[in-house]
Amino acid sequence: MRKENCIFCKIANGEIPSKTLYEDRNFRVILDLGPATKGHALILPKEHAENLYDLPQESASEVMVLAQKMAATFVEKLHCDGLNLMQNNGEVAGQTVRHFHLHLIPRYVDDGQSINLKTGSPTQEELEAIRRTIVE
Ligand code: AMP
Ligand code: ZN
C-alpha cells in the first residue's frame, strides 16, 4: 500500500522524478539529493513501510540482496574504496523521512567524512545485565 502524502511513496512509484539508478517490481534505488559522498543512494521499497519494524520480512531480505548488487556496481563504476550502509529508525536515530530507506554511502580515501559514535567501556557485569535484558 502507498501512503497519501508520502514523498518516498511518490518517488518510489515514479510519480515524482528522481535520479534513478535501478528499478524493479518492488524497489527503486535513487541518488540522495543531499549526498554525503559521490554516489550516495537510497533504496526505497515501493510499498509504504514507515521503518524497519514495519517492513515485511520478505522485503527485509530482498533489500539486503539489492544492497549487495548495488555495492558491486559502485565498486565497478565509481571505484569507491569502501561502503557504509545506514538505516535510521525513529527521530532519535536521525530518521527524517518516515518511509523505510536504506542509505548506500560509497566511501573514498580522504572523502572527509567520518562516522563518530561515542563509545562506552562497560564492565563485564554491565554487559551481562544488558545481555540478560535482551535475551530473557
Ligand atoms: P534519513 O535522515 O535517514 O531519514 O534520510 C533521509 C534522506 O533522504 C536524506 O539523506 C535526504 O538528503 C534524502 N532526501 C530527502 N528528500 C529527498 C528527495 N526528494 N530525493 C532524494 N533524496 C531525498
Ligand atoms: Zn511511503
Side-chain angles (χ1 to χ4, degrees):
M1 281 269 289
R2 296 187 209 170
K3 193 176 173 205
E4 197 76 9
N5 296 324
C6 172
I7 186 162
F8 278 5
C9 277
K10 292 193 169 89
I11 291 173
N13 291 283
E15 288 164 38
I16 293 179
S18 63
K19 295 294 182 202
T20 295
L21 303 178
Y22 173 88
E23 183 186 3
D24 64 22
R25 206 163 64 85
N26 298 322
F27 295 97
R28 184 185 294 268
V29 184
I30 64 166
L31 286 178
D32 193 305
L33 276 186
T37 64
K38 184 176 69 180
H40 182 170
L42 304 171
I43 299 182
L44 311 178
K46 291 186 177 182
E47 294 281 308
H48 182 84
E50 181 166 328
N51 49 38
L52 184 64
Y53 320 123
D54 288 350
L55 192 68
Q57 205 172 64
E58 201 177 315
S59 305
S61 39
E62 282 178 14
V63 82
M64 196 51 81
V65 174
L66 180 51
Q68 189 181 45
K69 194 150 57 179
M70 295 307 301
T73 305
F74 289 153
V75 170
E76 184 193 339
K77 300 285 177 65
L78 297 175
H79 308 292
C80 58
D81 303 302
L83 178 78
N84 289 120
L85 299 186
M86 187 173 82
Q87 201 277 307
N88 302 323
N89 299 284
E91 207 176 322
V92 72
Q95 185 176 14
T96 58
V97 181
R98 291 165 72 162
H99 174 123
F100 175 95
H101 49 282
L102 179 64
H103 294 258
L104 307 171
I105 308 175
R107 299 299 305 273
Y108 308 90
V109 172
D110 299 329
D111 63 18
Q113 293 289 4
S114 64
I115 292 179
N116 280 324
L117 290 178
K118 278 178 252 157
T119 55
S121 41
T123 63
Q124 284 299 311
E125 290 72 26
E126 287 165 334
L127 283 177
E128 178 58 14
I130 293 160
R131 190 192 71 80
R132 281 172 179 269
T133 303
I134 294 167
V135 302
E136 282 174 7

